[in-house]
Amino acid sequence: LTEIGHCAFSDCTSLTSIELPNSLTKIYTYAFNNCRSLTSITLPNSLTEIREDTFFECNDLTSITLPNSITKIGARAFYRCVSLKSIILPNSLTEIGDSTFYRCRRLTSIVLPNAITKICDETFFHCRSLTSIVLPNSLTKIGSYAFYGCECLTSIVLPNANIKIGKNAFKCE
């Protein structure tokens, strides 16, 4: 098995866990869309990218560790994963797409790797439980609405670099 196609496990609402083989190199969009009962997934080190909408609305997914081979997380990859409490981002990660963690309401903290240069629009939109974030010195841009509605955010460490902060980036409701 080297690829999981578009919508391959989409709407498998009873699927609770899956272990993927080390031969896997690609997972296409919406592969695990609406797998509402998925709580556990093991991603292989051969995977380099989490495509857009991959885990869209996996409501019971509580934690995930991304392998060190991941360099990119696509837009809306963990969109409305409302039970997601923790995610370990690898140091190899250079890009996180728009709305990646949109409405991940239980996400409490996140450490961004030093290779990240940009936080896209709405990346952590309405992550209501997010209390702290350390932004890497490599960061040059925080997109519009990036942390909008993160009402529990009490600690932000901004980098020393010249940084552009977008519209309503940290606005609380």
Side-chain angles (χ1 to χ4, degrees):
L1 179 67
T2 59
E3 297 180 0
I4 295 177
H6 176 78
C7 295
F9 294 94
S10 187
D11 297 315
C12 290
T13 56
S14 297
L15 181 67
T16 59
S17 69
I18 190 164
E19 188 170 330
L20 303 172
N22 284 329
S23 58
L24 186 69
T25 58
K26 294 180 184 177
I27 300 175
Y28 288 94
T29 59
Y30 293 107
F32 297 97
N33 172 54
N34 201 30
C35 290
R36 295 185 180 274
S37 300
L38 185 66
T39 59
S40 174
I41 187 161
T42 302
L43 299 173
N45 285 326
S46 53
L47 197 62
T48 59
E49 178 181 350
I50 304 288
R51 300 269 173 117
E52 57 275 348
D53 305 305
T54 300
F55 297 102
F56 193 98
E57 293 189 341
C58 288
N59 292 344
D60 286 350
L61 188 63
T62 57
S63 68
I64 191 166
T65 300
L66 302 182
N68 285 325
S69 54
I70 298 287
T71 59
K72 179 181 178 183
I73 301 175
R76 300 169 311 280
F78 296 97
Y79 187 97
R80 290 185 62 177
C81 290
V82 295
S83 296
L84 187 65
K85 291 181 183 177
S86 69
I87 184 164
I88 306 290
L89 300 177
N91 287 329
S92 57
L93 188 66
T94 60
E95 186 178 337
I96 300 174
D98 290 338
S99 305
T100 298
F101 299 103
Y102 188 100
R103 292 192 188 266
C104 291
R105 294 181 178 161
R106 291 195 176 98
L107 189 64
T108 56
S109 68
I110 195 158
V111 176
L112 296 173
N114 288 326
I116 296 288
T117 59
K118 176 174 85 170
I119 296 175
C120 292
D121 295 344
E122 299 181 347
T123 299
F124 297 99
F125 188 94
H126 278 279
C127 290
R128 295 186 183 270
S129 298
L130 192 63
T131 58
S132 67
I133 188 148
V134 176
L135 302 172
N137 284 329
S138 57
L139 197 64
T140 58
K141 181 181 178 188
I142 298 174
S144 296
Y145 302 94
F147 295 94
Y148 183 93
C150 294
E151 57 198 35
C152 291
L153 195 57
T154 58
S155 174
I156 303 167
V157 178
L158 291 171
N160 293 326
N162 186 13
I163 187 169
K164 180 181 178 186
I165 299 176
K167 178 174 70 171
N168 294 315
F170 293 96
K171 183 177 181 178
C172 291
E173 297 179 313

